[in-house]
Amino acid sequence: MWHLVLLLVYSTGLIALGLWIGRRVRGSGDFFVAGRSLGPGLIFATVLAANIGAGSTVGATGVGFDDGVSAWWWNGSAGIGALLLALWIGPRIWRLAREHNFYTAGDFLEHRYGREVRGIAAALIWLGTLSILAGQLIGVSAIFETVIGVPRWVGAVLGGVVMVTYFVAGGLLSSAWVNLVQLVVIVAGFSIAAPLVLANAGGWEAIVSSPAAPERFTDPWFSRGMGSGWTFLALLVPAFITSPGLLQKAYGASSERAVRVGIGLSAVVLMLFALLPMVLGMAARVRHPDLASPNLALPAILVSDLPLGLGALALAAVFSAEVSSADAVLFMLSTSMSQDLYKRFLNPAATDLQLLRVARATAIVGGLLGIGLATVLPTVVAALGIFYSLLGVTLFFPIVAGLHSSRAGSGAALASIAAGVGTVALVGVTTGGAGFGYWTPNVLGLIAAAAAFALGSLLPRKGESAVV
């Protein structure tokens, strides 16, 4: 019960901070890009907190529980993608965002290819984003299910209320400051919990030699079906280079240096952090081999294997991780709907106040839909896999190639999106999501998207803006 009380007190504090910061929001510029005022420290905190979510904690620990050392690749691949964003794509697109007053990734797509590409990409990403929001809420639900034994939907509602409330108050501005607090709790909780849990399990040698450990528990490429290192590299690196949520956080930076330093440091820390859920999952396999679901590995070991105070801190860290990523997802949902769809296609004459109201209303509706979807999807990794597959095949080539070449036009972008999404859907349905060995639906989708973009680049241009 004390675990629950401490989580509720902590949640109340996050809401209060978000509401207090939200008083500074005066318009859509503050809500969408924090007035382009975030320095390296806040960029570091809000990007890292967004990247350490349900997949990075509950999901990665579940992979560690099943597959061992190869679980590093979940967070490690995301860190590699974020590092490429910091050093390659981020600074370039930040300059364009400042010059043309971009608020969303859709703003860039329209500037580069036209309104059709913006609309199609925004609709696809909006639908896919609901699955990643559900993934974060599944992670939150696992905490409450373990602590007090409530059904999944109750935990999803509790987590949803917290993140919707403080995000609606202030958008990116309030999220950045709340994320800073959450990040301190995340790093402290996991840094303390992992060594203690490892010691309680008898140390590294005891874990890898345990009868409960699979034969290839220390093989970095081993997988029993949740995803190998190659799978995670193909799934997460392209997605984290062109994630609309991360690009919009980059837009909020005060300078190009803030993009490079803030996002770059967050990538390095994320790759180091990847070791912690890996160790926790492997220890859970030894200490609790009969868990009903890998989703329960992390909360189970934190509640059962740590003293009350440290267990509560670690659970607060996990809760922070899920909620901080969930608010980043709400950020994508609300800004994409309001800026990319509502203002561009439904009400081009919308005032700044109307845009802000639609963004906040969309966040509430998106939160409700995410809660509902969280009760249907089976695991965190399954939920996030849907989003990252869709994100990579939809945006990677139009954004990356569009930033570096003026040759390709809207035909190339539309062909790439259609081929990528169509291939992922076809292979996923016909193989039950398994693909053909290493040729997963996502890998084949990326290949199809690349080929279609290259062929589409040969089509005549229709007057889209070139980016040089």
Side-chain angles (χ1 to χ4, degrees):
M1 180 58 69
W2 279 109
H3 290 99
L4 176 62
V5 172
L6 292 171
L7 281 176
L8 293 177
V9 171
Y10 176 64
S11 300
T12 302
L14 294 180
I15 291 174
L17 176 60
L19 292 174
W20 182 66
I21 296 295
R23 297 182 307 167
R24 296 163 54 185
V25 172
R26 295 291 181 264
S28 59
D30 293 329
F31 191 88
F32 289 132
V33 293
R36 306 193 197 277
S37 63
L38 303 181
L42 282 177
I43 288 290
F44 164 79
T46 192
V47 169
L48 184 58
N51 286 346
I52 299 179
S56 305
T57 55
V58 173
T61 304
V63 177
F65 180 87
D66 273 351
D67 297 341
V69 169
S70 65
W72 181 89
W73 288 103
W74 180 270
N75 286 304
S77 298
I80 293 169
L83 187 61
L84 291 172
L85 172 62
L87 301 179
W88 176 29
I89 298 299
R92 191 178 183 93
I93 205 167
W94 178 86
R95 292 194 296 269
L96 288 170
R98 183 185 60 175
E99 180 182 353
H100 299 285
N101 199 32
F102 293 163
Y103 282 177
T104 67
D107 286 336
F108 167 77
L109 291 174
E110 179 168 359
H111 171 77
R112 181 62 181 78
Y113 300 108
R115 68 196 301 265
E116 294 83 4
V117 174
R118 177 190 191 135
I120 291 172
L124 287 170
I125 296 303
W126 204 91
L127 293 173
T129 299
L130 289 174
S131 67
I132 194 173
L133 180 58
Q136 310 308 320
L137 295 176
I138 291 172
V140 173
S141 300
I143 298 173
F144 287 104
E145 181 179 351
T146 301
V147 173
I148 54 177
V150 297
R152 177 186 284 191
W153 72 266
V154 176
V157 169
L158 291 172
V161 168
V162 174
M163 55 96 177
V164 168
T165 302
Y166 77 72
F167 175 79
V168 168
L172 180 57
L173 191 62
S174 63
S175 292
W177 285 97
V178 173
N179 290 162
L180 183 60
V181 174
Q182 292 168 327
L183 185 61
V184 172
V185 175
I186 291 169
V187 173
F190 276 86
S191 298
I192 294 171
L196 289 176
V197 168
L198 181 62
N200 288 339
W204 180 258
E205 290 300 324
I207 289 176
V208 298
S209 61
S210 169
E215 184 178 348
R216 298 175 60 192
F217 218 34
T218 58
D219 183 346
W221 302 104
F222 171 66
S223 172
R224 297 198 309 168
M226 295 190 73
S228 68
W230 294 115
T231 303
F232 290 145
L233 280 169
L235 180 68
L236 298 174
V237 171
F240 274 75
I241 293 175
T242 55
S243 165
L246 297 184
L247 291 177
Q248 288 167 229
K249 288 178 183 291
Y251 290 173
S254 59
S255 66
E256 189 174 328
R257 176 180 176 273
V259 174
R260 285 198 173 96
V261 174
I263 299 179
L265 286 176
S266 75
V268 172
V269 173
L270 184 59
M271 286 186 273
L272 294 173
F273 175 85
L275 296 169
L276 303 181
M278 176 196 82
V279 168
L280 291 169
M282 295 174 72
R285 182 58 175 266
V286 174
R287 300 281 290 177
H288 309 279
D290 299 322
L291 288 176
S293 166
N295 282 339
L296 302 178
L298 180 57
I301 202 165
L302 296 182
V303 170
S304 303
D305 291 39
L306 293 176
L308 174 61
L310 292 178
L313 174 63
L315 283 173
V318 178
F319 184 77
S320 288
E322 326 311 14
V323 173
S324 62
S325 281
D327 73 49
V329 177
L330 277 185
F331 184 49
M332 285 190 281
L333 286 171
S334 64
T335 56
S336 181
M337 175 60 75
S338 57
Q339 180 77 358
D340 293 335
L341 298 176
Y342 173 75
K343 185 172 183 178
R344 189 62 186 89
F345 295 95
L346 299 179
N347 186 9
T351 66
D352 192 70
L353 181 59
Q354 287 175 316
L355 194 62
L356 189 58
R357 286 174 176 169
V358 170
R360 284 172 162 155
T362 302
I364 295 172
V365 173
L368 293 173
L369 292 174
I371 290 170
L373 197 56
T375 65
V376 177
L377 294 173
T379 66
V380 172
V381 172
L384 270 60
I386 295 172
F387 169 75
Y388 289 131
S389 292
L390 185 61
L391 183 62
V393 299
T394 299
L395 293 182
F396 183 73
F397 293 103
I399 289 180
V400 172
L403 278 171
H404 294 84
S405 171
S406 60
R407 181 173 182 177
S410 63
L414 292 172
S416 177
I417 293 171
V421 173
T423 301
V424 167
L426 177 63
V427 176
V429 170
T430 56
T431 66
F436 307 98
Y438 288 116
W439 301 99
T440 63
N442 184 68
V443 171
L444 293 172
L446 286 171
I447 293 171
F453 192 93
L455 292 174
S457 298
L458 302 177
L459 297 175
R461 294 285 303 274
K462 296 183 180 180
E464 300 92 345
S465 298
V467 177
V468 180

